[in-house]
Amino acid sequence: MLKIFNLPDLGEGLTESELLTWKVAVGDAVKVNDVLAEVETAKAVVELSSPFDGTIAELHGESGTVVQVGAPIVSFDLPGSESEEAPTAGDDAGSGTLPDGRVPTLVGYGAAAEGAGRPARRTRVGRPAAPHPAPSSPPEGAPVTAAAVGTSTEGSAGTATLTVERPRSTPPVRRLAKDLGVDLSGLSGTGTGGVVTREDVQRAAEGSGPAPGSGAAAAPEPGVRTLGGRPRTEEEPIRSVRKATAAAMTASAFSAPHVTEFLTVDVTESMELLEELRRHRDFRELKLTPLTLVARAACLALERTPELNARWDGDHGRILRQNYVNLGIAAATPRGLMVPNITDAQALDLAALAERLNELTHVAREGALQPGQLTGGTFTLTNVGVFGVDAGTPIINPGEAGILALGQVRRMPWEHHGEIALRQVMTLSLSFDHRLVDGEQGSRFLADVGAVLRRPGMALALF
């Protein structure tokens, strides 16, 4: 019996996932909860687990393919005589092949469904167990059924087929061809199913050059060096984290009225404190950085200005004051910009905060952040100083009231005790949502953080 497993949703409203790597191949025997593949959503990389004991009959898609939620991703060959589509998250348990009547999800199984029984038969589709050759491509721009791209096959009468757009080339490739004056109708594609690729267009352009009046740039002189020795034009699809980041930042920038304030602080005493702490037995195993001190100072300052830790709920006409700090740390990861957070950072002392920061940084660099670490933040820090930058105008993480950027620490002439001396100086940049935070409150928060960094002992007097 053939079972088709559709890609389920994580339960967070995500509509697609990018297939990163397959962990199985056609013909492999798998058991329930064996890892089938790694997929990347807009929030995290997760493992896709098998809902069945059986044999892999077909894998739908290659690494790098974006799969829509509800679309077939794996076909299983199971003992039996009938073929049917596997339930996705939210369906009933099926014909008893799932353990204990549990519902399959993208990362495992939920609780047993109450009154779980055999549901109504889903639409049957007949499918050969062995992979079949890729069909020939339809004319450019013509829609084809899912069967033409290996996501469904002919079945019984009334079977609904998935319609997808499958031109002879992708929109970015057609745009590149237009820019370079290349006629796609005269090209033989080297991609899967005869699809014209970017390389096909570039080879054609090198042979003929752009057509007159096409608007393309003049052909380069032979031997002209490009940046990094790479092709003159490269394209990358917008997907996963970059797509989600762009949507979130655009929504934040145009929904929350941003105000940014700056404060330059003499942090010489804080840097001296870090050096002293690194020699202390309680901190020797920890990595202490200026971010550690800023994180602690921000948690203290939020005690006095809770408006910076609030949330605007326009849908219900209310402001939510959060008396805890889930401290977000903007991190540049291999997957792009991510903002994991430290839960209840206000309850941590400096050593515990340093330990959590180190753990979070390590997990982010490994690309192993989980969805739960990326939601629920209340206030964010971003360290632009690690890139040698002094200041900026950071965009607020959606749903939060403020974000604090810390610039690089650098030695520069500074007034100290009435004289000019070389001191270590940092610039802080605070952006806040003016719906929630007035200028007075934003300024007080920034001044409090600056006071702690200027004279760490002030923490004992102010908080």
Side-chain angles (χ1 to χ4, degrees), residues 206-217:
E206 291 171 359
S208 61
S214 66

Side-chain angles (χ1 to χ4, degrees), residues 205 209-210 216-222 224 232:
E221 294 292 331
V224 172
R232 293 187 68 81

Side-chain angles (χ1 to χ4, degrees), residues 30-269:
V30 296
K31 294 185 177 298
V32 169
N33 285 339
D34 282 354
V35 176
L36 301 174
E38 286 186 345
V39 295
E40 180 182 37
T41 70
K43 295 185 176 181
V45 174
V46 296
E47 294 179 336
L48 180 66
S49 301
S50 173
F52 303 119
D53 292 342
T55 303
I56 302 297
E58 186 171 355
L59 304 177
H60 303 282
E62 301 176 351
S63 297
T65 301
V66 175
V67 183
Q68 299 297 316
V69 169
I73 189 166
V74 180
S75 292
F76 296 87
D77 188 9
L78 307 179
S81 58
E82 296 179 343
S83 297
E84 59 184 47
E85 189 177 355
T88 56
D91 290 335
D92 290 335
S95 59
T97 55
L98 296 179
D100 305 324
R102 290 177 295 174
V103 178
T105 67
L106 187 60
V107 292
Y109 295 90
E114 295 184 5
R118 185 174 182 84
R121 178 75 63 195
R122 295 179 67 103
T123 302
R124 298 181 181 178
V125 291
R127 173 181 292 278
H132 48 74
S136 58
S137 300
E140 182 172 345
V144 297
T145 63
V149 292
T151 57
S152 180
T153 57
E154 294 181 3
S156 58
T159 297
T161 55
L162 175 66
T163 299
V164 296
E165 193 73 15
R166 183 67 180 272
R168 287 191 64 246
S169 59
T170 62
V173 172
R174 292 199 296 275
R175 184 169 61 250
L176 175 62
K178 181 179 179 181
D179 292 342
L180 297 180
V182 174
D183 184 4
L184 287 175
S185 63
L187 294 184
S188 297
T190 60
T192 303
V195 172
V196 176
T197 67
R198 178 174 56 84
E199 289 75 16
D200 295 332
V201 173
Q202 289 176 332
R203 281 193 293 268
E206 291 171 359
S208 61
S214 66
E221 294 292 331
V224 172
R225 182 184 180 277
T226 59
L227 296 176
R230 298 184 293 271
R232 293 187 68 81
T233 303
E234 293 183 291
E235 297 184 3
E236 176 185 354
I238 302 173
R239 59 176 57 153
S240 301
V241 174
R242 178 60 58 191
K243 184 176 181 179
T245 300
M249 292 299 98
T250 300
S252 176
F254 290 97
S255 62
H258 282 55
V259 174
T260 304
E261 295 184 340
F262 305 90
L263 178 66
T264 303
V265 183
D266 178 353
V267 295
T268 304
E269 289 190 22

